[in-house]
Amino acid sequence: MLRMLFVGKLLSSTGAIIVLAMSMSAQAEVVDPAPFLVRSEGEKAATTVPGDRDRLLELPLEDLLTLESTSVAKKRQRVDDSAAAVFVMTQEDISRSTASSIPDLLRMVPGVEVADIQSSATAVSIRGFNSLLSNTVLVMIDGRTVYVSAVSGVLWDQQLIPLSDIERIEVVRGTGATLWGNNAVNGIINIISKHSSDSQGGTAEFRAGTRKRTANLSYGGRHGDALSYRLYASGLNDEGTTDAQGHDLAKPSITGAIGTRVDFQPDARNAFTLQSDYSHGRTSIAMRRVSPDLSRPAYEDKRFDGHFEGVRLLGRWARTQSELLDWSLQANFDHGTRRDLEARMARDLADMSFGLRWKASRVHEFSLGLDARVVRDRIDGNPGLYFAAPAATEYWFSGYVQDDISLVPDRLRLTLGSKIEHNRISGVEAQPSAKLFARLSSKLALWGGYSRAMRTPSRLERNFTGLLNVFPGSVVGASDVPVVQSWTSGSPDLKPERLNAYEMGLRAKPGGNWSLDVSAFLNDYSHILTVVPVALRPILMPGSGMPMALRMDSVVVNGGRLRTYGIEAAISGRLMPYWKVDIALSQLHCDPDASAADPAYGVRWVDQTLSPKVQVNLRNAIDIGDRISVDAQLRYVGELANGAVGDRVGADLRLSWRPVPTVELSLIGENLIQARQQEYLMPNLLRPDAYAPRSLSGQVRLRF
Amino acid sequence: MRDIRKPLIAAWLSACMVAMACPASAQGSDVGRLKAAIMLNVLRFVTVPGNGDANRPLRLCVERTIAAAPDFQQLDGRQIGERPINVRVAELASGAPGCDIAYVGARNAAEIARISQYGLLLVGDDSSFINAGGAVGLVRFGNQIRFEINAKAARQAGFVISSKLMRLAARVQL
């Protein structure tokens, strides 16, 4: 009985992971910021393909503006022709949404789970495994990975790019299309900022409301036809979530960033990009912790104020060697510090990557990438949370090779490839994939494939000690007992978590501007990390020899196995010429792990019941003439944790009026249906329940 | 797992062998085609001052001396809503009578003033074009083409440019 309780309580260790996740800043590894929309395929000379000119004229303006004039004849691999479940959010989608942060934007994407946890902490995941860390999703901004390998997660509150500077966000569900990146197990979120020559002049955006205030300023200029730049600044004051009665849980988080992007294209073959940004923020979070004084065991409710600071630099050189060969080289450096829960963390990352595409023939197009990265971090914990070795330096090497084989031109395509990765933890690992795409007609396409992926255990998952629980006296004896928990790798050859993924999809254009995109998947995970308690011993009071606390030691093993499957659909079309509708549906099932009954199984890191089984999202974009627009979003999210968080219906509304084309005034309502809603829960985490409140705001957008 | 990996690798290696044997074809670059495609889209988002006849063809005149003129000619017969586009290639240096839209390439302020007239949307090249009074500038940056809008010039010509087009423009001058 006691052992079972310990096992359950051990889950609260995930709380410590969350805390420390906040310690990290972003990292990088990817060269190509736009893997889907601009892909070269130089098989057809412009003058020899009569239909090609027509195809260009059919492209929407947004796509034309990102096409390269030297490669007009290159066929873009459009989303319609990709052998993966891809959703593209355009700047139009972004500017019409009510969102003021990237996670909020992602609520519109089928198969993506977004939940406010508390204050600036948000859980985002794809196809299950939802947690603060988003630990199975690779997130990239302009080709720079913001996935933090040390804790396998993403720090959303540090991603402060102004939403108006984003060109588009591509979300790929499933692992097969994620050529790049370690740990991109369940999907990839690729955020691509506007080219600086696309945002000339000034843009200002101010928003003030009952819960949030934001200000974004952006200014772009150019020098001749070759050099352009953009400067931006963004600020956010967010009062965050509340308790069940509507009182603030913590102080507002105040965050801001300034940044630049410079693009230089001296000739048709070479393009250089230089980006830099500095971010700073004050955060606040309410937590319940164990008193560090072990002789007086108690929980303390406390508000922890923290802060972060980060500097990022990125340089990229993209060269078109010939119509058939192009490559790019990217280097970036990140430095970040963060203080949370009285622990201080510092981190440096340097990354260099190379990517190449070669159209070898009418049949084959090869892609190849190499990446090398070094991460040095130091985490000085507080008395209750610490690493045995506070500082660590880790080296990562990875690459991929892929061949796109056109079996029947424009009809049938086979894609074979593999990621290859080397690191100290797992040695060399190959992650192959095979995808088949078939276009049956201009209105119908099918795709399917198999891929294998892995997630390397983070440093935190391998070795950590924390004072995390107090066991009440009613359970263990006469008085309350604090418990220090620690875990270490159960064996020197702890393996990465593995995934065998099977996917298929259908894209149809039944006519009348309607489109349908359906995908289904079966994900079979093995080697899932579990934490198994192995020893329990007293900690004695110095001098007296009396026991005052317990220490529970655990090992981390690859004990778990999971199977998830589901289906997602995106339906898009116009009810009327002025009324666009987008519907996103997703359903997710998780088979119980049969081996979990084994006492040696331990406890899994992520609780699958924290992902909703059903999600429905309906977006309406209505134009009343050119000056007035109405955008309404309705969503349904199924229950979490077997009903501990009930299912919910939410509604967001934006009313916009443009008195002149360069000025837009909007009224925005978020979470309109209920005064507040709980979106997430950490059943074993010592943290008060948090509720996302209803909010109203007004916004002004200016172009000058 | 291993049983599936071997056939995959074998298939891939054989594909590579085939790749070496296949000759690759070359292709040329084409700025003009991209500009013409962008022009077609711009036309979709502007309201041309009507002369009572909503189905009257839209007359697009293109300066004869511009290299991209043949590309713009490909727009002939395309529909904008109910209106077909009629493309006429002509010498426009002294004016563009009878045209709704004129693509005149790179021009200075004096030339633009000479060609401008009510009911004519002037489209040209380079970032100086809208500064000099043109309504829509097609601007090359590196390998990409952007467009810029001089809202005042378009308004004076009697054209209404949609807010969506304004949002997509690289630069807007009021």
Side-chain angles (χ1 to χ4, degrees), chain A residues 155-382:
Chain A
L155 298 169
W156 288 103
D157 62 350
Q158 291 191 204
Q159 315 311 326
L160 294 167
I161 178 174
L163 300 189
S164 56
D165 284 347
I166 296 175
E167 180 185 297
R168 65 182 185 279
I169 299 176
E170 298 175 350
V171 179
V172 185
R173 308 184 296 278
T175 189
T178 58
L179 287 177
W180 291 96
N182 321 92
N183 301 343
V185 176
N186 277 16
I188 187 167
I189 296 169
N190 193 13
I191 298 153
I192 298 149
S193 76
K194 286 179 181 172
H195 192 283
S196 57
S197 68
D198 263 343
S199 49
Q200 299 288 291
T203 308
E205 195 176 283
F206 303 99
R207 179 165 165 178
T210 51
R211 302 297 300 174
K212 272 184 195 177
R213 285 146 290 278
T214 63
N216 293 312
L217 282 168
S218 178
Y219 183 80
R222 60 189 290 161
H223 181 74
D225 289 350
L227 181 77
S228 63
Y229 61 89
R230 179 172 66 238
L231 313 170
Y232 70 84
S234 68
L236 167 70
N237 177 322
D238 184 1
E239 291 172 40
T241 46
T242 68
D243 64 14
Q245 285 72 45
H247 303 119
D248 287 351
L249 280 171
K251 285 188 358 185
S253 46
I254 300 169
T255 55
I258 52 173
T260 63
R261 172 174 174 151
V262 179
D263 291 286
F264 177 53
Q265 293 183 226
D267 53 52
R269 290 196 185 281
N270 296 291
F272 299 89
T273 302
L274 193 64
Q275 287 174 274
S276 62
D277 63 69
Y278 167 80
S279 59
H280 181 88
R282 293 213 310 264
T283 59
S284 180
I285 200 159
M287 286 284 285
R288 174 169 292 184
R289 71 165 182 180
V290 179
S291 165
D293 182 357
L294 294 181
S295 64
R296 297 179 184 195
Y299 287 122
E300 299 174 340
D301 282 319
K302 197 170 171 192
R303 195 193 69 214
F304 292 90
D305 295 336
H307 57 81
F308 66 81
E309 193 169 36
V311 177
R312 304 194 281 210
L313 289 170
L314 176 143
R316 186 187 310 121
W317 173 21
R319 180 170 166 81
T320 306
Q321 200 68 36
S322 73
E323 290 298 334
L324 306 175
L325 179 69
D326 53 71
W327 52 263
S328 65
L329 186 66
Q330 174 179 296
N332 73 297
F333 172 76
D334 290 359
H335 168 75
T337 60
R338 185 153 180 148
R339 186 176 171 84
D340 260 317
L341 297 184
E342 299 174 349
R344 186 180 184 282
M345 306 84 173
R347 183 163 175 275
D348 292 296
L349 174 147
D351 180 278
M352 183 160 274
S353 54
F354 174 78
L356 176 147
R357 288 200 191 97
W358 174 39
K359 179 72 190 173
S361 71
R362 289 179 184 276
V363 178
H364 295 274
E365 180 179 341
F366 293 97
S367 305
L368 179 135
L370 293 168
D371 180 76
R373 186 169 75 227
V374 55
V375 184
R376 188 178 65 193
D377 53 38
R378 181 178 178 90
I379 303 176
D380 295 311
N382 63 34

Side-chain angles (χ1 to χ4, degrees), chain A residues 42-46 52-54 56-62 64-74 92 195 197-200 222 225-228 263 265 268 323-324 358-362 364 366 401 403 405 416 432 434 450 452 500 626 658 661-662 703, chain B residues 1 4-5 8 11-12 14-16 18-20 22-31 33-34 36-38 40-42 44-45 70-71 74-75 78 126-127 139-148 160-172 174:
Chain A
E43 64 180 295
K44 294 161 185 161
D52 203 49
R53 183 180 298 273
D54 288 343
L56 189 65
L57 294 177
E58 297 305 329
L59 282 179
L61 187 52
E62 291 92 331
L64 287 171
L65 296 173
T66 57
L67 263 189
E68 306 250 319
S69 58
T70 50
S71 56
V72 165
K74 292 178 181 177
E92 180 81 359
H195 192 283
S197 68
D198 263 343
S199 49
Q200 299 288 291
R222 60 189 290 161
D225 289 350
L227 181 77
S228 63
D263 291 286
Q265 293 183 226
E323 290 298 334
L324 306 175
W358 174 39
K359 179 72 190 173
S361 71
R362 289 179 184 276
H364 295 274
F366 293 97
V401 57
D403 185 9
I405 306 164
L416 300 174
Y450 159 80
R452 185 167 178 255
N500 286 308
D626 193 48
R658 289 170 287 275
T662 50
R703 186 128 191 226
Chain B
M1 189 53 244
I4 194 168
R5 201 185 298 175
L8 275 181
W12 186 59
S14 53
C16 295
V18 175
M20 304 304 166
C22 299
S25 65
Q27 64 177 23
S29 70
D30 201 335
V31 176
R33 293 175 54 208
L34 194 49
I38 290 174
L40 179 66
N41 273 280
V42 167
R44 289 185 176 135
F45 292 104
D71 300 303
Q74 297 296 322
L75 302 180
R78 292 253 157 194
D126 295 345
S127 56
V139 182
R140 183 169 179 167
F141 184 87
N143 293 332
Q144 295 184 322
I145 307 293
R146 322 280 183 200
F147 70 92
E148 303 181 334
V160 177
I161 292 184
S162 82
S163 55
K164 174 166 181 177
L165 197 65
M166 293 277 198
R167 283 200 294 278
L168 289 171
R171 183 165 65 111
V172 174
L174 289 176

Side-chain angles (χ1 to χ4, degrees), chain A residues 130-160:
Chain A
N130 204 17
S131 76
L132 173 69
L133 293 177
S134 311
N135 72 358
T136 52
V137 179
L138 176 70
V139 181
M140 295 190 296
I141 299 179
D142 286 332
R144 178 182 59 209
T145 308
V146 294
Y147 181 95
V148 180
S149 64
V151 292
S152 292
V154 176
L155 298 169
W156 288 103
D157 62 350
Q158 291 191 204
Q159 315 311 326
L160 294 167

Side-chain angles (χ1 to χ4, degrees), chain A residues 653-703:
Chain A
L653 184 68
R654 168 190 277 274
L655 303 172
S656 298
W657 175 52
R658 289 170 287 275
V660 293
T662 50
V663 177
E664 184 181 84
L665 307 172
S666 302
L667 281 175
I668 299 165
E670 293 172 279
N671 296 325
L672 287 172
I673 290 184
Q674 287 179 284
R676 63 196 68 88
Q677 285 182 321
Q678 191 175 7
E679 296 192 350
Y680 200 71
L681 171 83
M682 299 200 127
N684 295 288
L685 179 64
L686 307 175
R687 176 183 286 205
D689 287 345
Y691 294 77
R694 175 189 293 146
S695 73
L696 298 170
S697 53
Q699 186 182 50
V700 181
R701 283 179 177 149
L702 305 169
R703 186 128 191 226

Side-chain angles (χ1 to χ4, degrees), chain A residues 429-447:
Chain A
E429 284 269 353
Q431 301 174 68
S433 76
K435 295 285 189 90
L436 192 65
F437 175 87
R439 175 155 291 290
L440 304 181
S441 74
S442 61
K443 293 185 172 177
L444 185 64
L446 299 172
W447 61 270

